[in-house]
Amino acid sequence: MARMGRPRTFDRDQAIREAMHLFWQHGFESTSIALLKAGIGGGITAPSFYAAFGSKEALFNEVVEQYVKTHGDVTDCLWDESLPPRQAVELALRRSAKMQTARGHPKGCLLVLSASTTLPENKHIQKLVARQRERARAGYESCVKRAIAAGDLPKDTQVGALVTCFSTFLHGLSIEARDGVTGDMLDAAITEFMRTWDRGSGARR
């Protein structure tokens, strides 16, 4: 059977990292096949691209999985029950701000910026990244409920409203980072924002 395309001469893991940066910077729809071919593995032919990844969408799925395991792991502390809930929430925000303003990759969060708007036929791409963002929201909810159970937050705390506050703030970091707000400024903003928790708990800090 004839082989399609040239033999794969690129590092596949490296190619996925390079594709991640392209999707991260330009978004799913604006990252064309031509841009991907030119940007990954030193440039590959169309047959080689499709042989390696199947499609642009399939590659994006791999990119999202890789992002969640690497850059996106900054919120994993939300599930660390050895940490007090407030500390876990604050740590997740500070780690996220640091990651989103770090050098070596595009600013902001891929899960927020890569598919904020899509054509109707790509609504499932929006849903894909929304499901991943939901994971962080579930982590915040777990922390808030743990804090209520421990007496760190009052029993009448509106869980959904507080979780939405944290989730909205987290997503807003992406826009600020992309607009050039510094990591130091975002870190200072987190200090101010965490007073939302302190007001609820009645803590004096």
Side-chain angles (χ1 to χ4, degrees), residues 88-153:
V89 168
E90 184 174 9
L91 187 59
L93 291 174
R94 293 196 190 280
R95 285 177 173 175
S96 186
K98 182 178 180 180
M99 181 278 290
Q100 293 189 47
T101 56
R103 296 180 179 180
H105 58 68
K107 305 301 183 185
C109 172
L110 179 143
L111 298 179
V112 173
L113 299 173
S114 65
S116 57
T117 60
T118 61
L119 294 170
E121 59 265 31
N122 288 325
K123 288 297 183 182
H124 61 290
I125 298 295
Q126 277 189 323
K127 292 179 180 179
L128 168 68
V129 292
R131 285 195 298 271
Q132 293 296 340
R133 293 196 300 267
E134 183 62 27
R135 182 171 180 271
R137 184 182 178 89
Y140 286 125
E141 183 174 349
S142 175
C143 286
V144 170
K145 288 181 176 179
R146 282 203 297 125
I148 294 171
D152 295 332
L153 289 174

Side-chain angles (χ1 to χ4, degrees), residues 53-112:
F53 303 110
S55 67
K56 171 181 160 181
E57 181 177 329
L59 174 56
F60 184 72
N61 287 338
E62 288 195 55
V63 160
V64 169
E65 290 180 7
Q66 181 67 13
Y67 180 88
V68 170
K69 294 176 183 176
T70 53
H71 303 287
D73 68 357
V74 290
T75 58
D76 285 356
C77 55
L78 294 172
W79 288 269
D80 185 352
E81 295 192 1
S82 69
L83 296 175
R86 186 192 185 284
Q87 182 181 348
V89 168
E90 184 174 9
L91 187 59
L93 291 174
R94 293 196 190 280
R95 285 177 173 175
S96 186
K98 182 178 180 180
M99 181 278 290
Q100 293 189 47
T101 56
R103 296 180 179 180
H105 58 68
K107 305 301 183 185
C109 172
L110 179 143
L111 298 179
V112 173

